[in-house]
Every structure is written in C-alpha cells, then in structure tokens.
Amino acid sequence: MRGVVFRYLIFALIVSALGTPVSLQAQQDSFRWTDFHAPKDQDVLVWVTRALEAEKWSSIREIGVL
C-alpha cells in the first residue's frame, strides 16, 4: 500500500515539475525593462506618470499592491 502511495506522490511531483517552467515563462513574457532615457520608452513613462497623477500616493508599496 505504501508503495502505491509513494508512486503516486512521485508521479505528482514529476508532473508538477514539468508544468512549472511553462507557467513561469508565460509570466516573463509580459515583463520588459524600461529605459528612462530611451526615446522608444517615453510613451510608457508618460502613460505611467498620468496614471499615477490621479491619486495622492504616500509610498511605493501602495502602488505595488495594486
């Protein structure tokens, strides 16, 4: 009985390990670095600045939570 449970546990760990890199890769596709001095990123900086003007933020952690 323990051997069967152990096999299912090993199988579950292998399946979860194989599925993890795919989900991490999907999250990384939406991230990109922004250069504050590059002309191609100025539209992003203007968009973020306008989005943050509407509220009176007291700390950066309040923005990170949203």
Side-chain angles (χ1 to χ4, degrees):
M1 183 70 178
R2 286 186 180 184
V4 173
V5 173
F6 185 70
R7 286 183 199 148
Y8 282 123
L9 180 62
I10 295 296
F11 178 74
L13 288 172
I14 291 172
V15 169
S16 66
L18 291 175
T20 301
V22 174
S23 64
L24 290 177
Q25 183 63 33
Q27 291 175 354
Q28 292 175 355
D29 288 341
S30 63
F31 177 82
R32 73 176 184 95
W33 290 102
T34 301
D35 182 4
F36 287 92
H37 303 291
K40 67 178 182 134
D41 290 335
Q42 291 305 309
D43 57 337
V44 175
L45 295 174
V46 169
W47 173 69
V48 170
T49 303
R50 286 184 184 163
L52 296 176
E53 281 178 351
E55 299 288 334
K56 302 284 186 201
W57 301 105
S58 61
S59 65
I60 193 71
R61 71 172 175 260
E62 295 174 358
I63 299 167
V65 171
L66 294 176

